[in-house]
Amino acid sequence: MIRRISAGLIAATLSLGMVSLLASCSSLTSSSGKDKIFLDLSYSGNNWQDEGANLAMSIATSPEVTAEYDVRKVISGADVLKQISDIQSMIAVGAKLVVLYPISPTALGPVIQQGCDAGVVFVAYDGTVEAPCAWNLSYITGAKVDNPQEAFFGAQTAQALVDIMGGQGKIMMNRGVAGTSTDTVHYDTAKSVFDQYPGIDIVSEYYGNWDSSVSQQETSKALAAHPDVEGIWSQAGEDGVVKALEAVNKRIPVTGENSNYLREKLSEGWPGVSSGSPPAQGAVAVKIGLEILKNGRDSIPKNIEMPLPWVTTETAKVCPGSEFVDGCNFFADADDSFVTEIFQQDLLPESSYTAATTVDPVPALSALPPLGKFTQPESRRSYTRSACDDGWVAGEVDGGQTPPGLPGCVSQ
């Protein structure tokens, strides 16, 4: 969960956290004498978080990394104050690198700056932080794999649903976790598309909390109230959306994220699109941090976008084994809620189904490619840093991305 919290409470936490800091530090110290790397997770227990953490640890525990660094994983949970305290402890024991799934884009700013001042490198993945000294790796503003101008998951999946429905019909929107920056960006950009089509009628909006069972329950309730709905736009948890539809023998277009079940149904002819957040981000973030430690802070751009995957009814294809080969994009034996986007060939060729499920260390790391094509355009910077770069001002972006007219940054 990403949430905002008052500056006064942050300051109090930074002060009070010192009371328990020594006790916390004792569990993070190591007698190996090696420099320390930390993977700091928000929460665990769902497929996306677990796969992202497993892939990150498979990179961080590769032989070439563990020969030089002591690697630790910390679960901070969904409490931003706990994550602040954990990061304080990491700084105190001399962390060189912290790769984190941030609970808040704003509340972590003071402690991240504190760490930066002490020489710590911070790389946030999936969620973003506004602290200017940290690196962000996120798909929130990313564009489709095959077209770098077609940006934003919310907008692109909304347009896909409109196209499938011919610009007409009643739809429902299954949102994520209320109050998070990710849900807000997804929803706002999707609505910007739906609002362009008078024939699209949004009859229900509800929060599935990016959870399969919650999404199934909430979709079932909405279907009871709106049995004539003709399409559903969904964030993560879309496998639950499909199951709710199956329970009432209703087959309508669904756009969602990357669950194995949705892609299986697409391959059987279900109309829709699978896109969304790749768990591969966790591992790529570790590689970015290692590159910074090796080659310096100027070696990697501060704002990096993961491209949006894009799988349709026509392109969904089962994999014969545990690798993405010959254009396949889901697995025959994976759990329904398994998040399939564990591969990104350009950035993470060493990924595997085994690494995503068992944390087996990869035997060797591949070098990152030049990241120019993955750097976030300045026009979208305000979505992740809350401000425009020097020489840019807030305004509607009419060129260089689809859809046009969204708020962003324009060159002065």
Side-chain angles (χ1 to χ4, degrees), residues 197-250:
Y197 294 89
I200 294 294
D201 180 16
I202 302 172
V203 297
S204 179
E205 298 177 12
Y206 50 91
Y207 289 96
N209 292 343
W210 299 323
D211 180 271
S212 300
S213 60
V214 175
S215 294
Q216 184 171 352
Q217 293 166 8
E218 294 302 315
T219 302
S220 295
K221 294 177 187 176
L223 285 171
H226 305 282
D228 57 346
V229 68
E230 298 164 271
I232 299 179
W233 176 90
S234 179
Q235 297 184 35
E238 74 285 342
D239 50 317
V241 170
V242 174
K243 290 178 180 179
L245 289 167
E246 289 179 314
V248 294
N249 297 312
K250 194 173 185 66

Side-chain angles (χ1 to χ4, degrees), residues 155-172:
Q156 299 309 318
T157 51
Q159 187 64 58
L161 184 60
V162 168
D163 292 344
I164 293 171
M165 297 175 63
Q168 300 284 333
K170 298 178 179 180
I171 68 169
M172 301 194 303

